[in-house]
Amino acid sequence: MTQKLNLHLRAETKPLEARSALTPTTVRKLLATGKFNIFVEKSKQSAFDIDEYRDAGAQIVEPGSWVDAPKGTIVIGLKELPAESFPLKHEHIQFAHCYKNQEGWKKILERFPLGGGILYDLEFLQDDRGRRVAAFGFYAGFGGAAVGLEDWAYKQLYPASSDLPALNPYKNEDMMVADVTGLLSQAVKAKGRYPKVLIIGALGRCGSGAVKMCRRAGLPEENIIKWDMAETKKGGPFKEIVDADVFVNCIYLNKPIPPFITMDMLNDENRNLRTIVDVSADTTNPYNPIPVYHTTTDFDKPTVTVPTKRGSKISVVSIDHLPSLLPREASEFFAHDLLPYLEQLPERSHAPVWVRARKTFQHHVNRLNKSKL
């Protein structure tokens, strides 16, 4: 009889990260294949109660117990591991943020070869067409547009106030829409018009989420400006961005391009732009097309002010875990897409998605080694 594969869901440690790479629904489906033993760590911040996992058939273990899990265990999580230095002996499935020269990428990546471990980066799990097999993009765009609309509305209603107040996750999509719509309707009444929202990357997963949020919030269709590759192929900067009230950047970028906007454009007293939502929030990426801010934001402090010299105040939303505003729905959406590939893990030595992910890992390990010469 074939030995079952141990799959260990670690508790997330990033503050306010309530999503999960495995939901009780997917645990139940994986166990039904007869190929897995599934261990789930207790978590104080997960949107899913531990009893939901227990009822699905998972074995419940203590937080952080993945460190001592038997060799051969695959450890799965979402966000990056805590900043430690001990070598990693397991195979890990997660977002590691170390393949695009992000700040500190070498220290993150070197832990895997030092311990004989392997990284399967969720951002780089790709199908035969080079498309990501699972992503949180839709709810990142949905949540990003929601926060952008709230920030614009808040500026209209409380012009003397400093920043958008802290955010809290919602139990479901309808509750988020109700909150955004309520605040926006007050601002529209005070301002006399709806904001114009320009979305770059509108045809992708993320952009489609942003478009849906704008529609659900009641924006007229002509106020939702949808740009994609055809509109941006000429190269930036783009004056149309500062003519809009809210700019939502939804592109996935892996090569240098001209910036979309510049500080000179933002220092124009006649601009309309008040809010930038950079859904990618990849501030340490040298290819960042929005070089007017340099820090990520979070739920406690959702915006950072751009240091303009003239014109009205402009804020940037750069939260790197926007889907956590709708943690259950976003997790189920993501896990549903990932499930067919998780089912292939016992055959990962020849399953194309996992073979490619391992080759990508080895490529960057080789690049790491060359950088040390």
Side-chain angles (χ1 to χ4, degrees), residues 345-370:
L345 279 172
E347 297 80 43
R348 64 195 177 283
S349 62
H350 55 271
V353 164
W354 300 106
V355 169
R356 278 190 289 269
R358 187 165 183 161
K359 286 182 178 178
T360 300
F361 164 69
Q362 193 56 55
H363 165 76
H364 289 284
V365 168
N366 293 341
R367 191 164 66 93
L368 172 67
N369 292 336
K370 287 180 182 178

Side-chain angles (χ1 to χ4, degrees), residues 72-83:
T73 297
I74 296 180
V75 179
I76 185 169
L78 281 182
K79 303 303 288 187
E80 60 272 22
L81 293 168

Side-chain angles (χ1 to χ4, degrees), residues 251-286:
I251 69 163
Y252 174 78
L253 186 65
N254 57 12
K255 62 182 179 180
I257 62 172
F260 289 160
I261 52 175
T262 65
M263 282 301 301
D264 286 343
M265 295 168 65
L266 299 186
N267 281 319
D268 184 351
E269 292 181 351
N270 296 316
R271 64 168 163 79
N272 293 321
L273 188 66
R274 300 297 306 275
T275 302
I276 298 170
V277 181
D278 189 6
V279 178
S280 67
D282 210 353
T283 56
T284 62
N285 187 337

Side-chain angles (χ1 to χ4, degrees), residues 69-133:
K71 189 153 176 83
T73 297
I74 296 180
V75 179
I76 185 169
L78 281 182
K79 303 303 288 187
E80 60 272 22
L81 293 168
E84 301 280 357
S85 58
F86 63 86
L88 299 170
K89 64 182 181 181
H90 300 102
E91 297 173 74
H92 285 257
I93 301 171
Q94 65 178 72
F95 290 103
H97 307 296
C98 63
Y99 284 176
K100 296 187 291 185
N101 297 328
Q102 292 100 326
E103 184 178 350
W105 73 272
K106 294 180 181 180
K107 290 183 178 180
I108 296 170
L109 186 58
E110 68 182 0
R111 296 177 65 189
F112 294 92
L114 283 174
I118 296 171
L119 168 64
Y120 301 109
D121 196 308
L122 286 166
E123 187 175 353
F124 294 86
L125 293 185
Q126 298 179 342
D127 62 19
D128 295 338
R129 298 173 297 167
R131 182 177 171 83
R132 288 173 64 178
V133 302

Side-chain angles (χ1 to χ4, degrees), residues 150-181:
E150 285 191 327
D151 183 67
W152 179 86
Y154 196 80
K155 284 182 169 68
Q156 313 312 313
L157 295 171
Y158 309 104
S161 187
S162 54
D163 297 300
L164 184 69
L167 305 171
N168 291 298
Y170 293 88
K171 289 184 178 180
N172 57 58
E173 187 178 308
D174 289 343
M175 292 179 68
M176 171 186 276
V177 171
D179 260 14
V180 174
T181 303

Side-chain angles (χ1 to χ4, degrees), residues 224-270:
I224 309 171
I225 306 165
K226 300 178 282 291
W227 278 24
D228 212 85
M229 294 179 67
E231 291 79 10
T232 59
K233 66 180 180 181
K234 66 180 181 180
F238 301 109
K239 183 180 182 299
E240 292 90 339
I241 291 176
V242 295
D243 290 338
D245 299 288
V246 179
F247 165 44
V248 184
N249 176 43
C250 290
I251 69 163
Y252 174 78
L253 186 65
N254 57 12
K255 62 182 179 180
I257 62 172
F260 289 160
I261 52 175
T262 65
M263 282 301 301
D264 286 343
M265 295 168 65
L266 299 186
N267 281 319
D268 184 351
E269 292 181 351
N270 296 316

